[in-house]
Structure formats: C-alpha cells, structure tokens
Amino acid sequence: YNNASDYVEKIGFGAGVYRFWFESKRVNLIAGVSYNNYSMFKKYGTVSSDPPAEYLSDIRYRLHNLSFPVAVRFNVGKSVKFFTELGIFLNYNFYESKKGTKDFKLVKHTSAPADLFFDTGGTAGIGLKIPLKKNGLIIKTYYHQSIWKTGVINLSFGYQLL
C-alpha cells in the first residue's frame, strides 16, 4: 500500500491484545500485538506480480498484517480518563491479495507482500477510558505513520478485562 493515496474506500478491521504497566500512574507504558486487515479500492491501475504487470480496472487490494506497538500513555482525569499516546510500531505484513478486471474477466493475485514484509514507524493517538465496575471501556483514535509507506488512521473500541 505504498500509493494508498491513489485508493478510495479504505476500510479495515483488527483485533488485538495489549498489556499496561504503571496503570495507576499518570504515565503508563503500553505494548501489544494486533491483527489487521485493510481493504482499498482503485478504479484503474497496474498490478505488478506474477504474471508481470497487468493493467486492471476495479482493483480491490487487501493487506493482512500483525502490528506490534509500544507506546507511552499520558492520562488526565480522575474517573473518566482522557489520554494521549505516543510510541513506535513494527508491522509484519504477511499476506496480500489484489483482484481486478481485465477484458471483462476477474483477475486475482495473492502472495506474500511484494514491497516489504516488515515496516516500522511512529504512532500517536488520543482517547477516553470510561470505568465500568472493575473494568473499563476504551475508545481511541490513533495514527500509524510508516517510514516507508502511507500512514493509516484507526478508530478503536476496547474493553479492559483485568
């Protein structure tokens, strides 16, 4: 997804597990792992793979990755906590698929990612932690900016179990 700006209808989903340290303090350390599935659409373009570059229309591109973020969270508030996060991430991009149309026929390419198996960069986010008995509801939006690829904005809903 190097040229993600050429794509429209960018959407995806993910699921993850995160660990918090120093949770009772104003500053927390957070580390986790999440699976992400991104989907993008482009009306026209070329697909480079095997067979070599093909010009297609109605291209649907999917990327599957594992993300390993580490961040520092800064909390404000007593009961409902507003927070900001700043950190780094490492992505392992393990599968991609591209589907498009050529001469009114569906063409599909699946492979390990052609560009980079790994990418890294910075992450920043803001959110709320709302207490629910012993646990909490977490709502946040964050931005991953890769060193090599286009950034991704995510909206996340979570439930703190422990």
Side-chain angles (χ1 to χ4, degrees):
Y1 65 118
N2 273 340
N3 295 320
S5 60
D6 294 346
Y7 289 87
V8 294
E9 295 180 22
K10 301 173 210 169
I11 193 163
F13 66 90
V17 177
Y18 294 84
R19 171 79 167 106
F20 298 87
W21 288 272
F22 317 113
E23 191 169 6
S24 62
K25 309 289 184 195
R26 281 200 177 277
V27 178
N28 314 138
L29 179 63
I30 302 166
V33 60
S34 65
Y35 162 77
N36 302 289
N37 180 329
Y38 297 103
S39 177
M40 296 176 277
F41 177 80
K42 183 163 53 170
K43 188 64 181 164
Y44 300 103
T46 56
V47 174
S48 298
S49 64
D50 189 19
E54 291 187 277
Y55 188 78
L56 302 174
S57 62
D58 301 320
I59 301 168
R60 175 88 38 208
Y61 176 76
R62 285 192 160 295
L63 176 70
H64 302 260
N65 72 23
L66 290 175
S67 185
F68 303 92
V70 176
V72 176
R73 177 181 283 178
F74 304 93
N75 298 291
V76 176
K78 296 239 186 252
S79 179
V80 174
K81 291 185 180 179
F82 171 79
F83 61 84
T84 60
E85 294 178 353
L86 190 60
I88 59 173
F89 70 91
L90 173 69
N91 280 348
Y92 171 59
N93 304 310
F94 61 89
Y95 180 81
E96 71 178 26
S97 66
K98 298 173 193 130
K99 288 190 231 177
T101 305
K102 180 180 180 182
D103 300 327
F104 302 101
K105 293 180 185 173
L106 181 66
V107 176
K108 183 176 181 181
H109 297 271
T110 59
S111 65
D115 295 335
L116 295 165
F117 283 109
F118 291 96
D119 75 50
T120 188
T123 183
I126 60 171
L128 286 173
K129 180 179 174 191
I130 303 165
L132 302 172
K133 296 186 181 179
K134 290 171 127 180
N135 304 317
L137 176 66
I138 298 172
I139 302 168
K140 75 175 184 175
T141 185
Y142 61 95
Y143 180 73
H144 278 329
Q145 177 57 58
S146 170
I147 292 173
W148 300 285
K149 297 182 179 191
T150 303
V152 176
I153 296 173
N154 294 291
L155 176 62
S156 175
F157 299 94
Y159 185 73
Q160 186 174 353
L161 295 175
L162 303 172

